Amino acid sequence: MQLLDHRTFYALMIAGAKEVIHREQELNAINVFPVADGDTGSNLAHLMRMILRESRWCEPSVHMLDSIKQACLKGSRGNSGMIFSQFIIAMCDFLRVHPALNGAQFVEMCEHSAAMSRRSVQNPQEGTILTVMKDWALALRSRLSESDLLLGLLQPSLQAAFISLERTKNQLPILHRHSIVDAGAKGFVHFLQGFVSSLSETAVSEEQPTSLTELIFSEGDASSHFLAEPPELRYCAEFLIDVENDWEKLQHKVAAMGNSMVAVGNSQQGKIHIHTNVPDQIAEAIHESGHIVYQKVDDMQRQYDMLHRRQASVALVVDSACDIPEAWLDRYQIYRIPLLLELDGSVYWDKVTLRSQSFYDKLEKLSEPARTSQPAQETISALYKQLLHHYDHVLSIHLAKPLSGTFEACRQAASRIHADRIHVIDSRTLSGAYGLLVLQTAEAIKAGKSIDEVRQSLLAAIPRSEILVSVPTLEHMIRGGRVSPMQGLLAKWLRMKPIVSLNHEGKSKLYGKTLFQRSNLRKMLKHLANLHARNPIEHYVVLHAEAEVESRSCVEAMTRLTGRAPVFVTSVSPVIGLNAGKGAVSVAMLLSNTNMREEH
């Protein structure tokens, strides 16, 4: 073959993508750099699946090239996935102005793509996918004087890629320590292997020196062969951005907030990958320069714990409407699925890319009403599948069904994946009451109780949970559909500052007579005293929405009433604060006996 046209390029891309997908678990098993989170194979396979799903051969062929580029932006994950996507995007850009490539042009395209991939990385490291890309392009250039046929260039250069991959063992200390090659670089070589195989009637594996092939590709499941180090920074964050202001300036600003940054795209749309401890600050910086179209934030510490420090055989999952201190989530290794909030065109992950500290300032400046939504099915399914690789069972507890579609979305995902091992429970409550139920469940799991014992204990505790919320206004709850407009109009007319609870079905319920702002908290505490007299409070927590002074008063009063301190005091999540409003204070509790919420 003397020329590479668009049709042939597409066929080679698909062959390379399928080879990477086939090697997914091999790549996961040897993933130790830059973080040993065991997902390089999954990230590369996700990118390739996105290309297979989103791209189609069509005329004019530039539309096919554009569809591959968009698939790369949408599907790129992790360091290697981002670098790989930039490599493919650069190839597509080159091909847009060349309907067919001869040997010299093909080499030029590959050199350009390798250079663009290196440029996308803030601090390039040798011994990674970047090194193998560069060495492969150099090998192509060296063969050009001997042959301008594609097969004559590709087969010898593939052997050079194999050798370069083997050298990565000695280029990065962590790879040398574990005597393994770089996972991302290996994924790239597999892509080339599929790429070249489809160009030749003879399988490429038969063309390689047997000993070298076996040496490189015989690691197998290496996950038990090494104990990798915990991550330096906690989160692996990725953002797809519609850019409105200076793209270069945004990249420099974000780079200062973490490491391992890779940025691809242009002044219209770009994607950033970075390891960081402050994904919320990065989201804020992006909001100043454009809109977040898509985001993914992986908790690498929790991934490390899952791989190397599991405490139990049951994984506990919650959503972000569960208000419990972050330190407690870490203590019990609880996994969290964030709900979504849309503020002025940008979508945020509750408690991850949007924190309570900055939420209320944003809320007061919005040009249009904020909206909430349930997690994406892809997010839920990906977590469940990952957990089932490492745990016997998954117990997934969620916000009351009438308040959100999250429970139903998780139930559907569980039924598709493995209904016998994934147990989805409706907490029938929210916020701190939800947190207390989760805390009790986490303690039972850590104590080694069976999944059936844990489930029964949780189901027995749900009717004993209660929450009372003193809200400064019903405006936010009306807007969010939690309170009917007629109730809200009456409360506003009477200047009421009502107390809100949930009935036994998990639906919002107003009670109390005319409650003015000054007496609202007193009225709630009086009701709590009556409740405690009828049905003693075993455990309680105090929560607030930017109302620390009022919450301290509440803690003092509840300590006098019950004779014990709260289990914890914390701020409510943004997704809860959106409906409660700034200034809300709540007390959530577990009662000694079953509580019939409809009595209130």
Side-chain angles (χ1 to χ4, degrees), residues 467-510:
I467 184 168
L468 303 181
V469 187
S470 168
V471 296
T473 174
L474 285 177
E475 176 185 348
H476 303 290
M477 298 191 75
I478 296 168
R479 188 187 304 150
R482 310 306 185 203
V483 171
S484 73
M486 183 60 70
Q487 287 178 308
L489 181 63
L490 179 62
K492 184 175 182 180
W493 183 58
L494 294 174
R495 296 195 308 158
M496 291 176 63
K497 308 294 180 183
I499 297 172
V500 182
S501 185
L502 297 180
N503 62 21
H504 69 290
E505 296 176 344
K507 296 181 179 179
S508 299
K509 180 178 180 65
L510 305 182

Side-chain angles (χ1 to χ4, degrees), residues 315-319 337 377 380 384 393-399 401 405-428 434 451 455 458-459 462:
L316 182 55
V317 177
V318 301
D319 60 61
I337 301 174
Q377 276 287 324
I380 299 167
Y384 284 168
H393 293 274
V394 175
L395 182 58
S396 199
I397 311 172
H398 296 285
L399 173 65
K401 183 178 178 180
T406 304
F407 165 77
E408 185 60 27
C410 291
R411 188 194 65 78
Q412 291 177 10
S415 66
R416 287 196 309 272
I417 297 169
H418 205 310
D420 292 336
R421 295 176 60 198
I422 305 174
H423 313 268
V424 181
I425 306 293
D426 179 0
S427 72
R428 291 169 47 191
Y434 179 5
I451 183 63
R455 287 181 75 250
L458 170 60
L459 293 173
I462 287 174

Side-chain angles (χ1 to χ4, degrees), residues 230-517:
E232 176 186 351
L233 298 174
R234 177 147 196 170
Y235 298 102
C236 174
E238 291 167 5
F239 299 91
L240 181 61
I241 309 152
D242 280 340
V243 182
E244 294 180 352
N245 296 320
D246 194 328
W247 172 233
E248 296 291 334
K249 182 179 179 181
L250 175 60
Q251 291 180 61
H252 288 302
K253 188 171 184 178
V254 171
M257 300 183 194
N259 61 29
S260 300
M261 193 183 96
V262 185
V264 301
N266 52 43
S267 58
Q268 284 77 48
Q269 190 171 65
K271 192 167 188 179
I272 288 176
H273 163 280
I274 189 169
H275 293 173
T276 183
N277 283 331
V278 288
D280 56 316
Q281 293 181 26
I282 293 175
E284 181 63 28
I286 293 171
H287 184 67
E288 295 171 359
S289 299
H291 293 292
I292 299 171
V293 177
Y294 167 84
Q295 63 201 284
K296 184 177 80 74
V297 182
D298 291 330
D299 187 334
M300 296 188 293
Q301 180 61 55
R302 194 68 80 247
Q303 289 176 336
Y304 176 82
D305 291 341
M306 175 176 60
L307 290 168
H308 303 293
R309 295 195 298 217
R310 284 190 303 283
Q311 295 177 350
S313 62
V314 177
L316 182 55
V317 177
V318 301
D319 60 61
S320 60
C322 174
D323 285 325
I324 187 171
E326 296 289 320
W328 294 54
L329 295 176
D330 289 341
R331 182 183 305 175
Y332 294 102
Q333 296 182 353
I334 299 171
Y335 298 85
R336 180 170 61 199
I337 301 174
L339 277 69
L340 309 180
L341 293 96
E342 184 177 339
L343 308 178
D344 279 346
S346 283
V347 177
Y348 297 88
W349 279 18
D350 186 34
K351 288 184 176 176
V352 180
T353 56
L354 182 64
R355 302 283 187 174
S356 300
Q357 295 89 326
S358 61
F359 168 67
Y360 297 102
D361 291 337
K362 287 181 177 292
L363 197 59
E364 293 173 358
K365 300 173 184 177
L366 293 180
S367 58
E368 56 186 55
R371 294 185 296 178
T372 63
S373 59
Q374 66 199 45
Q377 276 287 324
E378 182 183 15
T379 302
I380 299 167
S381 297
L383 177 61
Y384 284 168
K385 290 176 182 178
Q386 184 182 38
L387 293 175
L388 287 182
H389 280 299
H390 303 280
Y391 292 88
D392 295 337
H393 293 274
V394 175
L395 182 58
S396 199
I397 311 172
H398 296 285
L399 173 65
K401 183 178 178 180
L403 302 180
S404 169
T406 304
F407 165 77
E408 185 60 27
C410 291
R411 188 194 65 78
Q412 291 177 10
S415 66
R416 287 196 309 272
I417 297 169
H418 205 310
D420 292 336
R421 295 176 60 198
I422 305 174
H423 313 268
V424 181
I425 306 293
D426 179 0
S427 72
R428 291 169 47 191
T429 189
L430 77 167
S431 190
Y434 179 5
L436 280 173
L437 292 171
V438 167
L439 179 58
Q440 175 180 293
T441 304
E443 290 173 341
I445 290 172
K446 195 169 184 179
K449 293 186 178 180
S450 70
I451 183 63
D452 290 336
E453 291 174 316
V454 173
R455 287 181 75 250
Q456 290 305 314
S457 175
L458 170 60
L459 293 173
I462 287 174
R464 297 192 293 112
S465 66
E466 175 67 280
I467 184 168
L468 303 181
V469 187
S470 168
V471 296
T473 174
L474 285 177
E475 176 185 348
H476 303 290
M477 298 191 75
I478 296 168
R479 188 187 304 150
R482 310 306 185 203
V483 171
S484 73
M486 183 60 70
Q487 287 178 308
L489 181 63
L490 179 62
K492 184 175 182 180
W493 183 58
L494 294 174
R495 296 195 308 158
M496 291 176 63
K497 308 294 180 183
I499 297 172
V500 182
S501 185
L502 297 180
N503 62 21
H504 69 290
E505 296 176 344
K507 296 181 179 179
S508 299
K509 180 178 180 65
L510 305 182
Y511 64 91
K513 297 183 180 179
T514 307
L515 304 174
F516 296 92
Q517 188 169 7

